Amino acid sequence: DVVLDRITATREAGDGLAHPDLDRTSSPCPRCVLDAAELRNRRKALHIRAALEGRARNAAASRALYRLALTAAQQEEHWLVEEEQRLRNIPLPSQPFRDLRLSGTRMSIIAPVFQAWALMEKRSGNVSAARDLFSKGAEVDPRHAHVWQAWGLMESQSHQYGSGRDKYRRGLATSPESAALYHAWAATEATTGQPHLARELFHRATLLNRFQTPSFTHWAQLEWRARRAALARALFRAACLSDVSSPTPLAAWAAAELEAGHVRTACLLL
């Protein structure tokens, strides 16, 4: 989208509007813009169809569609990198496009395809295949926090806690501002009997994103189990305020109060 915005600006410059960053001679043809839109639409359509087949437990069809979606994403990524480099007058690299590294802050569009495919394989029970796909996604774009998060969660759910922690650490090394990664790691530690570390990680997640409702909620549940009711209620309240449209924090709070025998309080919350 950033590239297309720059292309639009370039075309406007060709209509007589000055643009300081782009040379008028570097303006792409309208057909190039159309090709980019076609590639994006094809990639998204294939991705959606693959996900639907996966949810319907048609693993073979889902794999075939993910392969096509991956090819479309690679073609689109190649076009975007070429266009970015052309607009900056940077010589194109000679290596295949699958090895191209990203410029600026744009995230890869290939990594999410690998992630979605990996999650489908995980749901199908093919953990080894899922690991391979997560690894490829992380290699394509090490900054893609959601790939590391999903990979770490899969390892933790498979009781490979050391491997899960390693994925969280590696993800935070490249995406230190990811509240989602801190939350996933904290949730893992909370379930493995490491409450002190879990508290620290939940705290970091909420500092990075004060609207991180799941972190406030899970942290509150952790404190409630530790019989720190006052702190737990304060965290439940923060969770509710962080997303007033979500019923989850209120439901979790009410369940905690009900479990403690505070029926009237639970009814008032609901």
Side-chain angles (χ1 to χ4, degrees), residues 30 49 59 75 83 92 113 154 237 261:
R49 288 179 58 196
Q75 291 171 343
E83 193 59 24
L92 291 175
V113 181
M154 184 191 75
R237 191 173 295 108

Side-chain angles (χ1 to χ4, degrees), residues 96-117:
F97 61 80
R98 65 176 178 273
D99 293 328
L100 291 178
R101 291 297 175 258
L102 301 176
S103 59
T105 58
R106 182 175 60 80
M107 303 299 289
S108 170
I109 57 175
I110 300 175
V113 181
F114 277 120
Q115 178 190 346
W117 189 354

Side-chain angles (χ1 to χ4, degrees), residues 50-62:
L52 291 174
E53 292 293 347
R55 290 172 188 170
R57 300 185 183 278
N58 298 324
S62 182

Side-chain angles (χ1 to χ4, degrees), residues 47-86:
H47 194 151
I48 292 170
R49 288 179 58 196
L52 291 174
E53 292 293 347
R55 290 172 188 170
R57 300 185 183 278
N58 298 324
S62 182
R63 287 186 193 103
L65 287 164
Y66 273 125
R67 289 189 186 97
L68 294 174
L70 184 60
T71 299
Q74 289 171 329
Q75 291 171 343
E76 185 183 353
E77 183 81 11
H78 186 212
W79 187 94
L80 288 169
V81 173
E82 277 189 332
E83 193 59 24
E84 287 176 348
Q85 292 172 332
R86 192 180 66 80

Side-chain angles (χ1 to χ4, degrees), residues 17 132 209 225 248:
L17 300 176
D132 183 56
N209 182 2
R225 290 193 297 270
T248 303

Side-chain angles (χ1 to χ4, degrees), residues 14-245:
D15 293 333
L17 300 176
H19 193 280
D21 298 326
L22 304 175
D23 184 84
R24 290 179 59 177
T25 60
S26 66
S27 175
C29 63
R31 179 62 194 169
C32 294
V33 179
L34 181 60
D35 287 344
E38 289 175 349
L39 287 170
R40 182 171 61 250
N41 291 338
R42 174 176 170 76
R43 184 251 306 169
K44 289 183 176 180
L46 288 167
H47 194 151
I48 292 170
R49 288 179 58 196
L52 291 174
E53 292 293 347
R55 290 172 188 170
R57 300 185 183 278
N58 298 324
S62 182
R63 287 186 193 103
L65 287 164
Y66 273 125
R67 289 189 186 97
L68 294 174
L70 184 60
T71 299
Q74 289 171 329
Q75 291 171 343
E76 185 183 353
E77 183 81 11
H78 186 212
W79 187 94
L80 288 169
V81 173
E82 277 189 332
E83 193 59 24
E84 287 176 348
Q85 292 172 332
R86 192 180 66 80
L87 291 174
R88 294 183 175 92
N89 295 317
I90 300 175
L92 291 175
S94 58
Q95 65 265 38
F97 61 80
R98 65 176 178 273
D99 293 328
L100 291 178
R101 291 297 175 258
L102 301 176
S103 59
T105 58
R106 182 175 60 80
M107 303 299 289
S108 170
I109 57 175
I110 300 175
V113 181
F114 277 120
Q115 178 190 346
W117 189 354
L119 290 172
M120 187 278 292
E121 296 292 356
K122 171 196 165 187
R123 288 191 295 270
S124 300
N126 301 320
V127 176
S128 178
R131 285 193 182 102
D132 183 56
L133 291 164
F134 277 131
S135 177
K136 290 177 179 177
E139 182 181 359
V140 166
D141 188 358
R143 302 169 304 162
H144 207 288
H146 292 297
V147 172
W148 293 109
Q149 178 194 11
W151 192 358
L153 283 171
M154 184 191 75
E155 296 293 355
S156 299
Q157 290 164 359
S158 302
H159 304 290
Q160 302 296 323
Y161 299 114
S163 179
R165 292 183 183 102
D166 174 66
K167 303 305 177 289
Y168 298 138
R169 289 191 187 95
R170 291 169 66 183
L172 287 168
T174 55
S175 301
E177 301 301 314
S178 174
L181 268 171
Y182 276 114
H183 169 76
W185 190 356
T188 296
E189 299 299 349
T191 59
T192 56
Q194 302 293 332
H196 298 297
L197 180 55
R199 287 185 182 99
E200 180 184 347
L201 293 166
F202 278 135
H203 186 212
R204 291 187 185 182
T206 55
L207 287 176
L208 286 168
N209 182 2
R210 63 189 181 92
F211 301 106
Q212 187 71 10
T213 308
S215 293
F216 281 118
T217 304
H218 289 189
W219 187 4
Q221 291 171 324
L222 173 68
E223 301 299 352
W224 191 272
R225 290 193 297 270
R227 301 183 182 280
R228 303 170 74 178
L231 176 56
R233 289 190 179 100
L235 290 166
F236 276 129
R237 191 173 295 108
C240 295
L241 292 174
S242 67
D243 186 359
V244 295
S245 64

